[in-house]
Amino acid sequence: MHLKSSQIVRYESQPQGCEYHFNGRYCRYTPDFQLFDAMDTPSSVEVKHSSQILKTDFRARFKEKQLVAENAL
């Protein structure tokens, strides 16, 4: 879900994280921020420099983090 700034009623920095499985091992993931709308629906935000997101390993890990976060956070 994408929120407009006017829809955000509160946020949390470094909210509760979750575990995900990647390359045969369990890893931890904590989003940078979690935004909440008026219905208290959360949206996670990850902030990274463009040099990071172009790396193949980062993109593979992030895809798995997204799948897990959608169900856990």
Side-chain angles (χ1 to χ4, degrees), residues 1 3-12 34-43:
M1 174 171 58
L3 292 174
K4 295 179 183 175
S5 60
S6 61
Q7 296 174 295
I8 300 167
V9 296
R10 69 183 177 89
Y11 72 94
E12 292 178 12
Q34 201 158 43
L35 311 177
F36 297 88
D37 64 13
M39 301 289 288
D40 213 35
T41 304
S43 293

Side-chain angles (χ1 to χ4, degrees), residues 6-49:
S6 61
Q7 296 174 295
I8 300 167
V9 296
R10 69 183 177 89
Y11 72 94
E12 292 178 12
S13 176
Q14 298 286 303
Q16 177 81 22
C18 60
E19 286 188 342
Y20 67 101
H21 195 253
F22 186 76
N23 284 345
R25 63 186 179 111
Y26 285 98
C27 305
R28 297 275 309 144
Y29 170 62
T30 302
D32 292 323
F33 298 95
Q34 201 158 43
L35 311 177
F36 297 88
D37 64 13
M39 301 289 288
D40 213 35
T41 304
S43 293
S44 297
V45 176
E46 185 71 25
V47 180
K48 293 290 181 249
H49 188 271

Side-chain angles (χ1 to χ4, degrees), residues 51-68:
S51 64
Q52 288 294 101
I53 64 173
L54 296 175
K55 295 178 181 178
T56 304
D57 182 65
F58 174 84
R59 295 176 73 79
R61 282 178 171 270
F62 194 70
K63 188 176 234 179
E64 186 62 30
K65 290 176 188 180
Q66 286 177 308
L67 291 173
V68 172

